[in-house]
Amino acid sequence: MSVFQKLKVAVVGVVVGGMGIGAAWNHMMGSGKVHIVVNEGQQVKLFIDGQSLSPASSSGEHLRFDVAQGAHEVKLEDSESGKTRTFSLKVDSGFDDYVLPVSEEQCFTRFDVSKTMYEGSSGSGGTPPRISGKYQASAPFELPSASYFSVEELPEKLKKNSSAHLLLATPCPLHQLQDSQLIQLAGFAAP
């Protein structure tokens, strides 16, 4: 093996090792994430163990909060109505992502838009999405991988053999509809 080849192997080893150390650090010491989706104009405050938190990021109605590892009491307070929701939440690692429904009427529908948005379609027609999950408002739930809260948050391109899903807030009674009706109500072409 030439010196150049040995150097390449050493550099790759350091990069891969560094990524592994970074992932292990995030798992052991990183903060988990809590996501909430508010209605347009709605003001919601998030309290973790009695402490008010500010969003770490926001995109439209999607707010993301960083939450330390451990067991927590989480309270959502709607500033306008004064209604509160309280949950128990356990963040085990820096890779934990949870979605909190802001009200008893807020459920979520997950749409697989991989073919709709990425395979030669403008997103306004073509292949309609399929529903890949429905989530009730009763408790926090883990954010499924490859899920995004709006079209603006979707990646520009998908890697080979990967998928993209829109996780949209949906009034709970709509979950009783047929999937084709729910897809149309979300603004996609009928299947």
Side-chain angles (χ1 to χ4, degrees), residues 18-35 64-70 89-99 141-146:
M19 289 170 38
I21 291 169
W25 179 263
N26 191 41
H27 176 75
M28 294 185 315
M29 305 302 289
S31 296
K33 291 162 189 55
V34 168
H35 303 265
R64 182 183 59 82
F65 299 84
D66 293 333
V67 178
Q69 293 184 31
L89 185 69
K90 186 167 187 224
V91 177
D92 290 322
S93 81
F95 294 113
D96 287 353
D97 271 295
Y98 290 97
V99 178
F141 61 91
E142 286 189 49
L143 177 66
S145 64

Side-chain angles (χ1 to χ4, degrees), residues 38 53 64 81 89 110 124 174:
V38 296
L53 283 187
R64 182 183 59 82
S81 71
L89 185 69
R110 186 171 185 243
S124 59
L174 295 183

Side-chain angles (χ1 to χ4, degrees), residues 3 13 54 69 76 82 86 92 94 103 113 124 126 139 143 160 166 191:
V3 172
S54 296
Q69 293 184 31
L76 286 169
T86 304
D92 290 322
S103 72
V113 296
S124 59
L143 177 66
K160 187 176 182 176
L166 279 176

Side-chain angles (χ1 to χ4, degrees), residues 46-122:
L46 177 73
F47 297 88
I48 303 288
D49 301 324
Q51 300 274 327
S52 178
L53 283 187
S54 296
S57 70
S58 63
S59 174
E61 286 77 41
H62 169 216
L63 307 174
R64 182 183 59 82
F65 299 84
D66 293 333
V67 178
Q69 293 184 31
H72 301 285
E73 179 182 87
V74 179
K75 184 172 91 169
L76 286 169
E77 181 181 286
D78 185 317
S79 300
E80 190 174 304
S81 71
K83 291 183 180 180
T84 62
R85 296 194 84 191
T86 304
F87 303 105
S88 294
L89 185 69
K90 186 167 187 224
V91 177
D92 290 322
S93 81
F95 294 113
D96 287 353
D97 271 295
Y98 290 97
V99 178
L100 301 182
V102 296
S103 72
E104 293 174 3
E105 296 83 31
Q106 185 186 52
C107 289
F108 287 85
T109 305
R110 186 171 185 243
F111 298 88
D112 182 345
V113 296
S114 304
K115 292 182 180 178
T116 308
M117 304 300 283
Y118 294 98
E119 293 186 10
S121 172
S122 66

